[in-house]
Every structure is written in C-alpha cells, then in structure tokens.
Amino acid sequence: MTDRTPGQWPVDHPVHLDPAPARDKQPLPARPLTTVGIPEVRLVITVDLTGPYDNSREVTSDLHEQTRHAVDCHTVVIRLGADALRAAPGLGSAIAGRFFLSARQVEIHVPAGTKWAYVAAEAQEYMRRYAADHAQMLAKTRTTG
C-alpha cells in the first residue's frame, strides 16, 4: 500500500519555486481589423431534380444520391422540374429532412407559375419542425447541474 492520503500529490521530493515579479505589461500595437477588400466565401450546393421521373422513389433516390456526400454549407439551391413535383408529393419533407442541420439557407427553384409554390412553404414548415424536434432532443440528453 502507500503512505499517502487520498488526494495528496504523489511527489516524494517536491521542488520549491520562488515567485518571480510580474513583468511590466506592454500594450500590443493597435491594428484596426478591417474586412474591406476581403471577399466573403460561401459554400453553395446545387441539387438538380429536373430530370424525367415516373415515381416518388426515383425522385427521393436521386435527391439522396446527389446529397450523399454533402457537407455543411451556407446555401443549398434545389432545382425542381415538373416531373419531380408531379411524382413526389412529399418533396418538401424530404428536402427539409436532408438539409435542416447542414444548411443555413435553402433555395427552391420551381418552374414558373404559382402551382408549385407550396413546396417552398412545405419545406420551410418541416425545417422548423425538425429543428425544434432536434433542439428538444438535445435538451433532454444534456445533464442538468
């Protein structure tokens, strides 16, 4: 066994150091931080779902295949064709599920006309739900105190 008490540092011959006087603080030279002239770089991912599709499975499979190796990014641009919109009625949910954690902004480009405008609203609503659900799940897993 040992002669030390619990919590005692296990050094047999500690070295004693005399405290040295503090150095005089010299102010650092003031350099203004400027961002003028420095371009902002943002990662934008483009997903193209404008091909010919016959069913919902093909659309979601293509969405998954194009975003399989996607990383966190600033903006996702999703181009939807009429076939994809016709074949996949729950496309807003699929888009939200794919990007609610990895993108700050999602742009959905649809063919001209207001018929397909609901996809953007649907994706936005699902992104809110998924983000709130994720935050609630994280809050439950954190220890209190």
Side-chain angles (χ1 to χ4, degrees):
M1 297 300 288
T2 179
D3 296 335
R4 294 184 185 91
T5 60
Q8 182 182 5
W9 183 256
V11 175
D12 293 332
H13 305 288
V15 177
H16 180 69
L17 297 175
D18 291 326
R23 295 183 189 172
D24 292 338
K25 284 193 171 186
Q26 296 177 358
L28 295 174
R31 287 189 313 186
L33 296 175
T34 61
T35 58
V36 177
I38 300 173
E40 184 177 356
V41 178
R42 294 181 177 180
L43 180 62
V44 177
I45 295 176
T46 304
V47 179
D48 185 19
L49 298 175
T50 58
Y53 299 106
D54 293 327
N55 56 41
S56 178
R57 186 189 55 76
E58 291 177 354
V59 177
T60 55
S61 175
D62 198 15
L63 174 66
H64 176 73
E65 187 62 33
Q66 289 187 39
T67 60
R68 183 173 46 162
H69 299 292
V71 295
D72 289 349
C73 62
H74 184 273
T75 305
V76 175
V77 177
I78 301 172
R79 292 190 183 110
L80 300 175
D83 285 346
L85 291 162
R86 214 176 293 117
L91 202 51
S93 173
I95 292 168
R98 203 71 185 145
F99 297 110
F100 80 98
L101 288 178
S102 61
R104 292 185 190 163
Q105 185 175 2
V106 177
E107 290 183 17
I108 299 176
H109 296 199
V110 297
T114 58
K115 180 178 179 181
W116 308 111
Y118 73 91
V119 176
E122 180 184 41
Q124 185 175 21
E125 179 61 31
Y126 276 107
M127 288 186 90
R128 279 191 202 118
R129 288 182 188 177
Y130 294 160
D133 186 47
H134 182 72
Q136 189 177 34
M137 181 191 67
L138 287 178
K140 287 181 182 177
T141 59
R142 290 189 181 122
T143 57
T144 57

